[in-house]
Amino acid sequence: MENSEKTEVVLLACGSFNPITNMHLRLFELAKDYMNGTGKYEVIKGIISPVGDAYKKKGLISAHHRVIMAELATKNSKWLEVDTWESLQQDWIETATVLRHHQEKLEASSCDQQQDSLVLERPGRKRKWAEQRQDFSQKKSLEQTKTKGVPKVKLLCGADLLESFGVPNLWKGEDIAKIVGDYGLICITRAGNDAQKFIYESDVLWKHQNNIHLVNEWITNDISSTKIRRALRRGQSIRYLVPDLVQEYIEKHSLYNSESEERNVGVILAPLQRKTAEADT
Amino acid sequence: MKSRIPVVLLACGSFNPITNMHLRLFEVARDHLHQTGRYQVIGGIISPVNDNYGKKDLVAARHRVAMARLALQTSDWIQVDPWESEQVQWTETVKVLRHHHSELLRSLPWKEGLDQGKVDSPAPAAVPELKLLCGADVLKTFQTPNLWKDTHIQEIVEKFGLVCVDRAGHDPKGYILGSPILRRYQDNIHLAREPVQNEISATYIRRALGQGQSVKYLLPDAVIAYIKEHDLYASPGEE
């Protein structure tokens, strides 16, 4: 087993993806190169998890479309996929919960895989005593690998998400601790110094700094979804900023206009609403 | 209603390799010219430079042309033209402009509705104009001593025209005001703003490829596949 020392990693990106852009996709590529480059990790999968409509962000169009666009964008990718679990929930789901969902899913399927490999070994051969003893120790080491070898989910994000930890009432303190403590963060940023400063100034982030990977993005690739939507409202081209299939889908369904941008205006963002509700109880 | 002047955009450069940023130049320039209400962009040409230009790390023209062709497979208005790359020696930009302009004139009259864009365009009565499309960094190179002949700069801005797309760290208005020739013909220099800061330089791409890093989503997939297939840019070049 060549890669037994490496930790397998699954990158999870949560967000509006309203719409998905080439920049979102680049985050995955940069993160994968970086993590694999450390020699300690092997990135085996990337998951895009579009947020549910209940998030109530201004201009957020239906999850149905956002999921399809993400699927079109990752059609030709061997390792990126879209997961709809979060988007299908009635209520808005905290990111820490989404991370836990995916980690548990990985643990469950890893368990099944190990069972299968045990069963498939040595089909119907007459065993000698020595081999039987070997069998036991092998089973034991497999069990050890079972707990050690489960891929780890890590949250992939840009610097904006990292710094949003500082926005009052947006995140629960315990969730931030869970995200960086139990899972880990891979943050793609242009302004590495600012991000490092932010980590330094936060006790909880500082404590888990080894679990926060800052990856430098040398190319300024400022393809924000907000700018995409603005360009579309103004009849400007978004070609080469989003995958062709996404651009065609947007055009075909006339997805973004001044009307769509007014959705959820005056509505409080779900996490802020929840925090207020909790404070009241 | 005054009919719009038909325009073809010509971009010269190494395209070593072509990137999404190069392709964006065309889209941004087209949007900008349409916005003025005076022009109708009817075509775009990518003209990769000749191998004899002598730039470092320049891969063979046949590859650069092939990659541009792959990148433009999905474009309905931009094409690659290998004429410049097929010449015996390096050709000054003004001569490339002259060549393509005479080709344009030769292929008149235009078919009706050539550009199936949103603007209703009747068959153009006006002669199409050929404009040089470039980034603000190229505009700056007009200042480099001995790189461009003054007479050529003049011909480019006077007879053809320039569409110059913003680039971070550059001040195109400043370059124009700082040059007497450019100042005189500033009406024929269109400055287009790229709202999305997109610094995908081919230099970075080559470096990333040399280091085995991913360049996916920075250039079209078909171009990446071609680069892998032909083992281009595999070893880190010297900057």
Side-chain angles (χ1 to χ4, degrees):
Chain A
M1 270 213 273
E2 315 88 45
N3 291 329
S4 53
E5 336 82 58
K6 291 193 191 178
T7 306
E8 288 187 330
V9 166
V10 169
L11 301 172
L12 173 72
C14 299
S16 310
F17 300 104
N18 187 37
I20 192 165
T21 71
N22 282 344
M23 188 197 73
H24 293 126
L25 300 163
R26 276 304 290 163
L27 295 185
F28 280 95
E29 298 291 310
L30 289 164
K32 181 164 88 148
D33 278 347
Y34 175 83
M35 295 297 275
N36 288 353
T38 62
K40 296 196 295 222
Y41 304 100
E42 193 199 337
V43 175
I44 58 170
K45 191 160 45 163
I47 301 174
I48 293 174
S49 176
V51 79
D53 291 333
Y55 188 51
K56 298 289 179 196
K57 194 171 181 184
K58 179 173 175 285
L60 193 69
I61 66 167
S62 131
H64 167 75
H65 288 306
R66 291 183 289 115
V67 164
I68 292 179
M69 288 189 284
E71 284 172 348
L72 290 170
T74 52
K75 202 170 161 195
N76 295 324
S77 176
K78 297 187 196 115
W79 67 291
L80 293 180
E81 56 186 60
V82 181
D83 191 282
T84 55
W85 179 80
E86 184 183 355
S87 66
L88 291 172
Q89 303 306 307
Q90 264 295 53
D91 301 321
W92 170 70
I93 306 278
E94 282 111 333
T95 304
T97 309
V98 183
L99 279 161
R100 191 183 74 213
H101 166 83
H102 285 283
Q103 185 65 55
E104 285 173 356
K105 219 171 132 183
L106 279 171
E107 274 157 22
S109 71
S110 176
C111 204
D112 295 340
Q113 270 175 14
Q114 300 293 357
Q115 302 279 40
D116 289 344
S117 63
L118 265 174
V119 168
L120 287 171
E121 259 182 334
R122 301 180 201 273
R125 229 184 62 179
K126 213 170 172 190
R127 289 131 174 258
K128 294 183 184 167
W129 178 79
E131 277 178 314
Q132 272 189 325
R133 230 183 52 173
Q134 210 175 28
D135 219 22
F136 278 120
S137 59
Q138 201 157 46
K139 188 174 179 182
K140 190 174 168 208
S141 73
L142 266 168
E143 273 171 0
Q144 280 175 336
T145 334
K146 192 169 81 180
T147 37
K148 207 169 75 162
V150 176
K152 297 274 180 276
V153 177
K154 294 190 184 297
L155 186 65
L156 168 66
C157 66
D160 54 340
L161 189 139
L162 181 70
E163 284 171 23
S164 80
F165 283 168
V167 173
N169 299 329
L170 191 57
W171 298 83
K172 279 194 209 137
E174 66 207 54
D175 279 1
I176 298 178
K178 262 186 232 163
I179 291 170
V180 292
D182 297 345
Y183 303 103
L185 206 67
I186 299 160
C187 177
I188 315 293
T189 170
R190 249 173 289 143
N193 289 333
D194 289 349
Q196 280 183 326
K197 180 161 180 259
F198 190 77
I199 294 171
Y200 166 76
E201 288 175 351
S202 153
D203 286 343
V204 65
L205 296 183
W206 178 258
K207 180 173 171 196
H208 299 288
Q209 61 183 287
N210 292 330
N211 227 0
I212 303 174
H213 306 268
L214 295 180
V215 182
N216 252 305
E217 179 194 18
W218 297 113
I219 291 182
T220 308
N221 209 5
D222 192 21
I223 310 176
S224 77
S225 300
T226 306
K227 293 193 172 171
I228 299 289
R229 298 196 305 273
R230 186 178 295 135
L232 287 164
R233 290 197 300 277
R234 296 176 182 181
Q236 291 169 342
S237 163
I238 59 167
R239 283 218 73 191
Y240 313 115
L241 299 176
V242 303
D244 285 349
L245 290 173
V246 174
Q247 187 263 325
E248 283 161 24
Y249 184 87
I250 292 174
E251 201 175 298
K252 183 169 164 196
H253 297 266
S254 307
L255 287 183
Y256 294 104
N257 46 41
S258 3
E259 230 175 74
S260 67
E261 198 64 19
E262 290 305 298
R263 279 172 147 229
N264 295 322
V265 160
V267 178
I268 302 175
L269 205 66
L272 297 172
Q273 220 172 59
R274 191 163 296 179
K275 184 74 181 195
T276 323
E278 281 167 11
D280 288 344
T281 50
Chain B
M1 192 180 76
K2 205 165 119 187
S3 64
R4 292 171 176 235
I5 301 168
V7 168
V8 172
L9 298 169
L10 171 73
C12 298
S14 311
F15 301 102
N16 186 38
I18 192 164
T19 71
N20 281 346
M21 195 205 69
H22 293 128
L23 300 164
R24 275 300 292 163
L25 292 182
F26 281 89
E27 299 289 312
V28 170
R30 180 168 73 160
D31 281 346
H32 176 87
L33 290 180
H34 284 182
Q35 189 90 20
T36 66
R38 303 201 309 259
Y39 302 100
Q40 178 65 40
V41 177
I42 57 173
I45 303 171
I46 285 184
S47 176
V49 80
N50 196 290
D51 286 334
N52 292 320
Y53 185 48
K55 200 169 180 184
K56 232 174 183 171
D57 303 331
L58 201 64
V59 312
R62 64 186 174 89
H63 288 310
R64 292 181 288 114
V65 167
M67 290 188 284
R69 196 162 277 138
L70 287 169
L72 295 170
Q73 259 172 1
T74 56
S75 176
D76 61 358
W77 68 285
I78 312 167
Q79 311 169 333
V80 62
D81 192 301
W83 179 85
E84 182 183 351
S85 66
E86 286 167 356
Q87 300 311 296
V88 169
Q89 57 198 22
W90 171 68
T91 313
E92 285 120 323
T93 302
V94 74
K95 293 184 181 157
V96 182
L97 278 161
R98 289 178 199 155
H99 164 81
H100 285 288
H101 193 241
S102 61
E103 287 293 297
L104 251 187
L105 296 177
R106 201 184 315 221
S107 55
L108 284 178
W110 289 91
K111 286 190 276 217
E112 195 152 338
L114 193 71
D115 180 5
Q116 301 288 333
K118 290 176 185 155
V119 178
D120 228 312
S121 47
V127 172
E129 292 184 6
L130 180 70
K131 297 196 181 301
L132 185 65
L133 168 64
C134 64
D137 53 335
V138 174
L139 192 63
K140 187 174 186 193
T141 69
F142 283 176
Q143 297 168 2
T144 308
N146 301 327
L147 191 58
W148 299 82
K149 292 200 181 100
D150 277 351
T151 50
H152 286 185
I153 298 178
Q154 172 147 351
E155 190 177 332
I156 290 172
V157 292
E158 186 189 2
K159 291 231 176 85
F160 299 102
L162 211 61
V163 183
C164 176
V165 178
D166 243 358
R167 196 156 188 193
H170 289 278
D171 175 28
K173 278 210 178 93
Y175 305 152
I176 295 173
L177 295 175
S179 151
I181 304 175
L182 298 183
R183 235 183 9 243
R184 195 181 321 147
Y185 297 103
Q186 59 184 290
D187 288 345
N188 217 6
I189 302 175
H190 304 268
L191 297 181
R193 301 228 66 205
E194 160 70 286
V196 171
Q197 284 279 276
N198 213 0
E199 298 297 307
I200 307 175
S201 81
T203 307
Y204 173 90
I205 300 288
R206 295 194 300 272
R207 194 183 301 139
L209 286 167
Q211 293 171 355
Q213 286 165 348
S214 163
V215 294
K216 202 166 158 81
Y217 311 114
L218 300 176
L219 35 166
D221 283 348
V223 178
I224 298 176
Y226 184 95
I227 289 173
K228 299 242 145 84
E229 197 185 313
H230 295 264
D231 212 25
L232 303 176
Y233 312 116
S235 44
E238 286 158 354
E239 295 310 322

